[in-house]
Amino acid sequence: MDLRLLRAYVTVARLRNFGAAAAELSTSQPALTKQIQVLERRVGAVLFDRGRHGARLTPAGELLLLDALELLERSEAFDRRADQVASGAEGSLAIGFGLSGIELAPRAVAVFRSRWPGVTVSLEDLPSAVQFERLLTGGLQIGFVRLPVPAGLEHHRLRRDRLSLAVPAAQRVPRDLAGWIDARPLVRLTPARGPGLTAQIDSLYAELGCRPQVLQESGDLQTVLALVAAGVGPAVVPSTAERIAPPEVRLVPLPGRAATWWTGVAWSIRTPLTERFVKAAAEVARAARTEPRTGHG
């Protein structure tokens, strides 16, 4: 159904005068008359009786008016909703995060939700490699990842992370950390859970010339830190884990060029929603850099 014809119909019905309706619709009276005639042919019924007292709805016109009003209302509601979606005030974001975003991602989501409550946000814990794949195929809109990103993705740097040695708070370690951890049994995160972190740690071991043994693995970083706190053994973890580490654990930064890397947010398609979320994530990252450390190192 042509919404222009319905709009003409309801306007004449409301004003009961073709001349007044034509003026409101910014058209000529003959053009408006033709529109009503086209609509009457389509519905197969006369909609108005025209006389000295203006235009009055026929019984058929009365019966169809509510339907016309409903269709126009739904059309206007669709236009309003489309404007909201196009402007980024409504919609949905699927966001991934891994170890690189374990702290920043939830905080960025909280800030974003406070500003854009009409947007649905889902958050999924995924390794960076899986996030890259889903970002490229449309399964995710935003990813908190380890940089660099593959071709086809844009990114914004958030902060630099580095590897640290997690030890019991009372544990004393020498200055020669590389020599101290060489051949020492360590707790570690399961490689499949954090392949990027594992590769980073292996690169650092190669640079430092040490070969620690694997004492125990866990698929969860918090469990790794809990094992360290219990005295099972030290572990090499990202420095950002400091904020989720128990008080019984302290983190000692490790030396070496391979000990540091950049983390950030990545996306495939730039939209008002992704731009607003990236802005929120950048604000959270800046605030995190100025917060006093509450860690144990």
Side-chain angles (χ1 to χ4, degrees):
M1 181 60 67
D2 189 334
L3 295 177
R4 183 174 58 95
L5 300 181
L6 292 182
R7 197 166 287 110
Y9 166 36
V10 299
T11 303
V12 174
R14 174 166 51 84
L15 298 177
R16 298 185 179 184
N17 184 282
F18 273 74
E24 182 172 308
L25 295 170
S26 301
T27 188
S28 66
Q29 187 168 335
L32 178 60
T33 298
K34 289 181 179 179
Q35 291 174 15
I36 296 299
Q37 290 172 345
V38 170
L39 180 61
E40 288 176 331
R41 285 197 296 271
R42 290 189 180 180
V43 301
V46 176
L47 301 174
F48 295 99
D49 286 327
R50 299 178 64 176
R52 290 183 304 170
H53 300 291
R56 295 182 179 180
L57 287 168
T58 63
E62 291 279 3
L63 290 172
L64 293 174
L65 182 60
L66 289 179
D67 297 279
L69 289 169
E70 182 180 350
L71 283 171
L72 287 175
E73 183 179 345
R74 290 176 62 184
S75 172
E76 291 168 1
F78 175 84
D79 289 341
R80 290 192 298 270
R81 184 73 181 276
D83 288 341
Q84 291 286 90
V85 172
S87 67
E90 289 190 28
S92 62
L93 277 178
I95 300 173
F97 77 100
L99 297 177
S100 298
I102 196 170
E103 176 204 354
L104 290 183
R107 296 173 66 179
V109 168
V111 170
F112 182 82
R113 281 184 183 278
S114 70
R115 297 174 182 173
W116 306 102
V119 179
T120 301
V121 180
S122 63
L123 196 59
E124 188 172 2
D125 187 355
L126 300 165
S128 291
V130 177
Q131 292 187 63
F132 293 148
E133 179 182 347
R134 294 196 185 181
L135 286 167
L136 289 168
T137 58
L140 292 177
Q141 283 75 57
I142 293 284
F144 284 80
V145 297
R146 171 187 298 268
L147 302 181
V149 300
L153 296 180
E154 297 183 66
H155 74 277
H156 178 83
R157 283 183 176 183
L158 293 179
R159 66 180 175 191
R160 188 183 290 273
D161 207 345
R162 73 172 301 125
L163 294 174
S164 292
L165 185 67
V167 296
Q171 175 77 58
R172 300 187 65 180
V173 295
R175 291 186 176 181
D176 181 18
L177 285 176
W180 189 75
I181 65 175
D182 189 25
R184 184 176 294 273
L186 302 181
V187 178
R188 75 171 183 180
L189 189 71
T190 305
R193 173 62 183 82
L197 177 64
T198 300
Q200 192 84 37
I201 293 173
D202 289 344
S203 296
L204 180 61
Y205 288 164
E207 179 183 341
L208 299 180
C210 58
R211 296 183 178 179
Q213 300 175 9
V214 178
L215 173 64
Q216 186 167 342
E217 291 184 346
S218 173
D220 178 75
L221 185 58
Q222 288 184 312
T223 302
V224 169
L225 294 168
L227 291 170
V228 173
V232 174
V236 177
V237 299
S239 292
T240 47
E242 183 178 54
R243 296 186 182 275
I244 64 170
E248 299 82 10
V249 172
R250 67 186 180 100
L251 270 59
V252 182
L254 287 165
R257 294 181 60 185
T260 63
W261 68 96
W262 278 99
T263 65
V265 283
W267 63 95
S268 175
I269 301 175
R270 185 182 294 270
T271 67
L273 280 182
T274 57
E275 289 183 351
R276 288 168 181 166
F277 190 89
V278 170
K279 181 180 179 181
E283 290 176 10
V284 168
R286 285 195 297 270
R289 288 195 292 268
T290 61
E291 288 176 357
R293 287 289 179 178
T294 58
H296 324 291

